[in-house]
Structures are given as C-alpha cells and as structure tokens.
DNA sequence: ACTACATATCGTAATATTGCAATATAAAAA
DNA sequence: TTTTTATATTGCAATATTACGATATGTAGT
C-alpha cells in the first residue's frame, strides 16, 4: 500500500507523526541545524553547505515549510529561510507530556 | 531514487533522522503512547487497541525495536513490550542542544 | 499428540520518498 | 534588453514504506 491510514488515529498522533516525518531525513536535520547556527536566513548558502543538488535542497526546504518548521521570505531575488519558532518549540516538547514511568517488566 | 545518502551526513544527523523516522507514523506514535500509559508490557493488547491487522502491528513493533525505542521480552507464550528508557529520553531531548535564537529577518 | 493462542515472516500490491537533470520563473545587474 | 543569479517545478528512475492475507513458528494447556 504505502498509504498511511491517518483517519484511524487521533489528530495529535497524526501531528506528532507529521512533524517527526519532516525531521526524518539527515539533510533536513542538517538544514535545521544550519539555520539555527546562522540564525539570519540565507538560502543559496544551504545549497553550498550541503552535498546535494539544488533541486533536492529545494524539495527538502519545501517539506520543512509545509510542516511549518521553517518560514521563507522573499528578499530581492533571493529567498530568506529561517526557523519558525513556535513550531520548532513544539517539536522540542513533542514528547514532553509523555512521562516515562518505571518499567516493571523488561 | 528513494535511497537516502546517509554517508553524506554526520553520525548525529543520521541518528536524529533515524529516531524521527521511527516516530514518523501515527500507529507508532499510538503504540508509544499506549506503552507509556499501561507501563507494564503487553502486546496482543496493542493489536486489540489499534485498528490495524496483526501483521501490520508486528511490523511497526519491529521498526520501533530496531530504532531502540522499545524492548521486547519473552513471557510465556506472549511477548512483553515496553519503552526503552534511555533511548526514549534521548528522543525527548533530541533538539535540546539546538538553541533557537531570535530571528532577525522573517 | 492435539489444540488454541501469540507473534513473526513471506509475498505482494499500492503508494511514497529520494535524487537529479532539464527546464521554468523571476528579480537584480550589466 | 540581455545576462546573471537564485529558486522552483517537472519528469523520471530507483528504492522505501505501508498494509494485509496467508502461512510459519513457538509455547501452553488439555
């Protein structure tokens, strides 16, 4: 199939999965790390920074933007990308409410 | 292609992506939530809890186990699954070291 | 030994993801 | 206006994921 049955799960479960999926690729992790490092929002710099072709980077940026993790602003003929704080904070606290209890078996 | 070029990224980036990928499905999020709720480690219960067929659940459990997020112990004729604390804690702190700075542009 | 129960594996179909060359778009610079 | 620069989109091939029926494996109880 390859088709996730999202209608069978809660809205929260789907959201957690969606955000996790956006981070589930090393290139996208690298993009996030880079954006956090340089803070100011560059874009072609990301293409120069990562060992992937420009269309591939563009595609990853699109997925991160769709997930709401990054934002993009037009700046002249370039586009300035940066972390979208509220969503990024949500990711950091993804499993915050899930308190791990002491296991009694394993 | 469909093949991630893991050799182009750092070990840490690949690990973050790998852990995120394990969570990047609502069924697996549901399994983790359930295991955290019941603490004690059941397994057929998960099949009864989620609206997916037994082989599908088994497959998801396998992926969670491969990622190190859960553990499985044989207990009679059943298998007892539970959260693997150290790895789960790591997930909670995945983006901890990444400090979001104030954006100056977007 | 036979049966019931619990879980894993195999095989397969449908769909999704990854990566890039080629090309399109769009704004700045010459 | 032409050229350069920056980014997005399209199309496609290779591979991965998801889901499940059928079946295998393994243990407990009878």
């Amino acid at each position: 199939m390859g088709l996730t049955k999202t209608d069978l799960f809660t809205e929260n479960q789907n959201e957690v999965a969606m955000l996790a999926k956006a981070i589930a690729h090393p290139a996208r992790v690298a993009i996030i790390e880079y954006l956090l490092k340089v803070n100011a929002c560059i874009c072609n710099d990301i293409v120069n920074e990562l060992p992937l072709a420009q269309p591939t980077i563009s595609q990853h940026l699109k997925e991160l933007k769709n997930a709401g993790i990054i934002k993009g602003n037009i700046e002249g003929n370039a586009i300035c990308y940066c972390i979208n704080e509220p969503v990024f904070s949500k990711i950091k606290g993804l499993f915050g409410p899930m308190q791990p209890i002491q296991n009694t078996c394993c």
Side-chain angles (χ1 to χ4, degrees), chain A:
Chain A
M1 294 211 156
L3 181 98
T4 298
K5 297 187 163 178
T6 50
D7 53 309
L8 300 178
F9 302 97
T10 71
E11 205 168 316
N12 184 66
Q13 286 163 349
N14 282 314
E15 195 192 8
V16 171
M18 184 272 275
L19 288 172
K21 195 187 236 172
I23 305 170
H25 194 290
R28 295 197 287 272
V29 173
I31 289 171
I32 292 171
E33 285 179 350
Y34 184 72
L35 283 178
L36 286 170
K37 194 178 81 178
V38 300
N39 182 32
C41 323
I42 306 136
C43 181
N44 191 290
D45 284 359
I46 298 173
V47 176
N48 290 31
E49 185 79 3
L50 300 192
L52 291 171
Q54 181 267 321
T56 309
I57 299 288
S58 189
Q59 196 173 290
H60 284 306
L61 285 171
K62 192 178 173 186
E63 280 169 65
L64 286 171
K65 207 165 77 178
N66 283 345
I69 298 174
I70 64 174
K71 296 186 290 183
N73 270 36
I74 299 173
E75 197 134 314
N77 67 336
I79 289 180
C80 156
Y81 280 109
C82 60
I83 298 291
N84 188 16
E85 245 305 332
V87 176
F88 186 72
S89 293
K90 184 185 273 181
I91 288 173
K92 289 184 65 173
L94 261 196
F95 288 87
M98 296 188 188
Q99 294 297 340
I101 324 169
Q102 298 307 73
N103 297 336
T104 49
C105 56
C106 314

